Amino acid sequence: MSINISEKELIELAKLMNQKCLDLPDEGIEITQAIMIYQRWAKNNPDKLYDTAKVCFFMSCVEAYGFEMPIKKL
C-alpha cells in the first residue's frame, strides 16, 4: 500500500494532533493502524467525506482515541 503524503503534511498533522489534545498512546500509532482507523471511520461516516483529508483523519483519531480540551487556568 502506498501513501502519498509529504513530510510537510505529516508535520502539520502532528502539530494539529498535539494541539487538539488527542489521547494518543505514548508509543504513537503505526501507519497501518492509522490507515485502518481512518478506513473504519470513513466507512461509518460517508456523509462527512466532503471535508479535507486532514480534517477527516483528525476526526477518525478523535473517535478512536478520544479528545480532551485543556482547562484554562484563571
Side-chain angles (χ1 to χ4, degrees):
M1 178 181 299
S2 176
I3 298 171
N4 189 14
I5 186 166
S6 71
E7 185 176 344
K8 181 180 176 184
E9 290 170 318
L10 283 172
I11 292 168
E12 190 175 331
L13 273 172
K15 287 178 184 177
L16 176 67
M17 292 170 76
N18 286 334
Q19 292 172 356
K20 299 294 184 179
C21 302
L22 286 173
D23 189 20
L24 298 174
D26 291 337
E27 63 275 5
I29 306 170
E30 292 183 14
I31 191 70
T32 53
Q33 184 180 8
I35 291 168
M36 290 187 308
I37 288 168
Y38 176 77
Q39 287 174 333
R40 181 181 62 224
W41 179 87
K43 182 179 178 184
N44 293 334
N45 296 281
D47 57 316
K48 296 179 182 171
L49 294 176
Y50 64 87
D51 220 326
T52 65
K54 180 170 62 174
V55 170
C56 291
F57 179 70
F58 175 73
M59 293 308 296
S60 71
C61 289
V62 168
E63 184 176 289
Y65 293 103
F67 178 82
E68 184 178 325
M69 290 294 291
I71 298 172
K72 290 185 178 181
K73 294 183 181 183
L74 300 175

